[in-house]
Amino acid sequence: MKRTLTVCPYCGTGCTFYLVSHDGRLVGVEPSATHPVSRGGLCVKGWNAFAFVHHPDRLTTPLVRRNGVLQPASWDEALELVVERLYSVQKKHGLDAVMFASSAKATNEENYLLMKLARAVFGTNNIDHCARLCHSSTVTGLAETFGSGAMTNSISCFDQADVILVIGSNTTEQHPLIGSRILNAARNGTRLIVADNRRIRLSRHAELHLRHRNGSDVALLNGIMHVIIAEGLENREFIATRTENYAALAEAVTDWTPERAAAATGLEAGEIVAAARLFAGAERGMIAYSMGITQHSHGVDNVRCIAALAMLTGNVGRPGTGVNPLRGQNNVQGGCDMGALPDLYSGYQKVSDPQLRDKFARAWGVTSLPAEPGLPLTRAMNAASTGVLQGMFIMGENPMLSDPDQGHARKVLKNLELLVVQDIFLTETALLADIVLPAACYAEKEGTFTNTERRVQRVRKAVEPPGAARADGEIICDIALRAGYRGMCYSGPDAIMGEIAGLTPIYGGIGYDRLDPHGLQWPCPDRSHPGTPILHMERFTRGLGRFSPALYRPPAELPDEQYPMVLTTGRTYFHWHTGTMTRRTHLLDREEPRSFIELHPDDAARLGISHRDRLLVSSRRGEVRTEARVTTMVIPGVVFMPFHFTEGAANALTNNALDPESSIPEFKVCAVRVEKLP
């Protein structure tokens, strides 16, 4: 048996384990007993992270669409065709007529390479990835208030908090090893506040469970801050020495009395007062959140309020405190860090800055780089629907299931002049492609992932890719070479990381020789730096933390007579994202084999629905058939549906209304009608 230490390919927690292989095939996993995050444990997805690797559905050869049918092709034919057709689209419609979608499942090195390919080779800033669908609100909101859009503390800080506020995160199902830390902390005396209208597992252990209306987070947080200021519970020393613009916040929340906040949220005024006193009264208060906060048409405002609450109470820059956005995918933090964003190079360096453009152009050996920020991925879909965008190169993402308003996404992708998809399986998106490139998965290549606490860790090759499949980075470099660019010839992923470190100050001290045994947390500016477990300890990245008041805005779409219920979406414990890997894992698919929708017993009785009845769920954008799960997990008037299932795709229903600042869609609130099928 061979044991290869690597990083889990699922959520952003960053657990490590040994892939166990025999005769070139994976047979199991063993958790790393010494890892500071997973500490010898794994969730059910981690224990089964080897099972999809050798699935017979794996792509093993390039495919090219001929006469309407995807047919096998050689690498030479497929890659020459990719280059030829990308250039053809640009020649006909302009450099910005193509879009590159990077991947939170690819390594840091591969995300950096695709960003470089888009900008240095094809001359466009149209590069983005799935952070646009999950945490772009965080990047925008925390960069404005703190100067950095990342998790401020380490996962170990959950053990040191006196009170933890979890809002918009079903942590035990989405980030199970972090959820278990929170549960253990609660058992050991940490006081827990859960703000989520579903009765998630954490709420059973909470001192306060705030079941507020979907989309009313700004009202709730403004109400809590009103109470803190009105009762003199704010940390005046921290506000005076570490922050600015406090007067604007105090004025903005003046009218948000507990009674007004209760009317907007559906809570009791006393619940809001109790939450304010509990959080403000603790010496060390931690806030954890995820996509229940970010995936709204006012997601940036939600993040501004969370940052304001932390600063108001002085809970930033110390162990057991901080604002902690939990990243949803294994390398979504790294994708952002590597500049797979339309307005930023690696390390959050702005493309609009002429000095930074010159720095990257000189390093990459090109005369100039595009100055105007490119299209966010969500706005690219709209640009494609109007003909402004004509070509897309999608690496390791499945927008046919992950994007809102699935009917719109399908129409857009089918109408493109060129769609190239690079993936490990023939996904719902790849089925629409003109060219499909077979990629290696995490177990078949070298590189690094960056987890939710900014920990950069080694990913190691345990087995060979199937058939002719190749690592994403190798494919990207080959495309660059065939396009006539010789600046992407590397001896290996460690050399790519060397280039990243030379151009990216927060990664300046990171090299493969320094990442054993448990990686480094950025910022790590030089080779002698030990990494940074906690941000903003002496000063914020921007200097002073900035209070940015937020006005309450309701969701973009509210229930009415035609569509009287609110739909919210999320994940389940046994599946992950679009199910591409977990639904090809027998044990996981056995445990959660089909789509379902949760509805409250009162709604079920009113509609004549029983547990496991077949239902038709409709919105203004589409309809799906699914199975009823009657439960008090949800409140009356609200239904919940996971988005993993292609045969019951929740995103056929969701709303493509975008946050005006971060361009994130409003996945968490849309109006639906639920009917029992005969």
Side-chain angles (χ1 to χ4, degrees), residues 374-404:
L375 285 169
L377 193 55
T378 45
R379 298 194 185 278
M381 287 294 195
N382 294 333
S385 70
T386 62
V388 172
L389 195 75
Q390 291 287 345
M392 291 188 75
F393 185 107
I394 299 174
M395 178 177 78
E397 290 297 339
N398 189 13
M400 269 305 302
L401 280 189
S402 62
D403 275 28

Side-chain angles (χ1 to χ4, degrees), residues 166 180 224 398-399 445 459 472 484 552-553 592 657:
V166 178
S180 68
I224 289 173
N398 189 13
K445 60 188 176 185
V459 178
D472 292 290
Y552 171 63
R553 290 182 287 124
E592 200 72 271

Side-chain angles (χ1 to χ4, degrees), residues 152-167 181-195 202 205-210 224 228 233 271-289 306 309-310 312-316 318-324:
T152 65
N153 284 56
S154 295
I155 292 168
S156 62
C157 284
F158 285 104
D159 306 338
Q160 302 165 274
D162 298 313
V163 63
I164 300 172
L165 168 60
V166 178
I167 180 167
R181 276 190 188 260
I182 297 174
L183 288 175
N184 288 335
R187 293 187 186 108
N188 292 330
T190 298
R191 305 174 82 180
L192 179 59
I193 306 167
V194 172
L202 281 180
H205 302 264
E207 187 167 331
L208 281 173
H209 180 199
L210 307 176
I224 289 173
I228 291 171
L233 302 175
E271 293 179 284
I272 295 168
V273 173
R277 291 172 178 169
L278 178 53
F279 189 79
E283 181 183 344
R284 296 181 301 274
M286 222 172 165
I287 305 173
Y289 72 88
I306 287 172
L309 176 60
L312 184 66
T313 54
N315 281 305
V316 186
R318 294 181 289 126
T321 70
V323 173
N324 300 284

Side-chain angles (χ1 to χ4, degrees), residues 458 494 497-498 501 507-516 520 527:
R458 283 291 309 277
D494 56 336
M497 180 54 74
Y507 276 64
I510 291 176
Y512 281 20
D513 60 320
R514 298 193 67 208
L515 295 182
D516 287 330
L520 289 167
R527 297 281 300 178

Side-chain angles (χ1 to χ4, degrees), residues 381 398-414 427-429 432 578 619-625 641-657 665 667 670:
M381 287 294 195
N398 189 13
M400 269 305 302
L401 280 189
S402 62
D403 275 28
D405 191 356
Q406 188 185 67
H408 174 71
R410 177 182 293 277
K411 182 179 178 181
V412 164
L413 293 173
K414 287 182 73 173
T427 64
E428 291 77 8
T429 304
L432 303 177
T578 61
S619 76
R620 289 178 174 82
R621 290 153 295 279
E623 60 183 36
V624 297
R625 286 164 170 76
M641 194 172 183
F643 66 94
H644 314 295
F645 302 93
T646 184
E647 67 275 20
N651 282 326
L653 307 169
T654 49
N655 193 0
N656 196 27
F667 286 105
C670 75

Side-chain angles (χ1 to χ4, degrees), residues 600-672:
H600 191 272
D602 291 353
D603 294 322
R606 178 173 51 82
L607 296 168
I609 293 170
S610 300
H611 193 63
R612 302 196 71 172
D613 278 350
R614 295 295 296 169
L615 305 179
L616 179 69
V617 186
S618 310
S619 76
R620 289 178 174 82
R621 290 153 295 279
E623 60 183 36
V624 297
R625 286 164 170 76
T626 188
E627 183 178 279
R629 197 169 281 187
V630 180
T631 173
T632 56
M633 283 280 289
V634 293
I635 61 175
V638 174
V639 292
F640 167 83
M641 194 172 183
F643 66 94
H644 314 295
F645 302 93
T646 184
E647 67 275 20
N651 282 326
L653 307 169
T654 49
N655 193 0
N656 196 27
L658 303 181
D659 184 296
E661 296 174 272
S662 67
S663 298
I664 200 168
E666 188 148 70
F667 286 105
K668 296 306 181 190
V669 185
C670 75
V672 297

Side-chain angles (χ1 to χ4, degrees), residues 8-12 104-106 328-333 449-451 576:
C8 182
Y10 287 115
C11 78
K105 292 184 279 293
Q329 295 201 46
N330 55 309
N331 201 35
V332 72
Q333 182 65 60
F449 293 156
T450 304
N451 80 341
W576 184 77

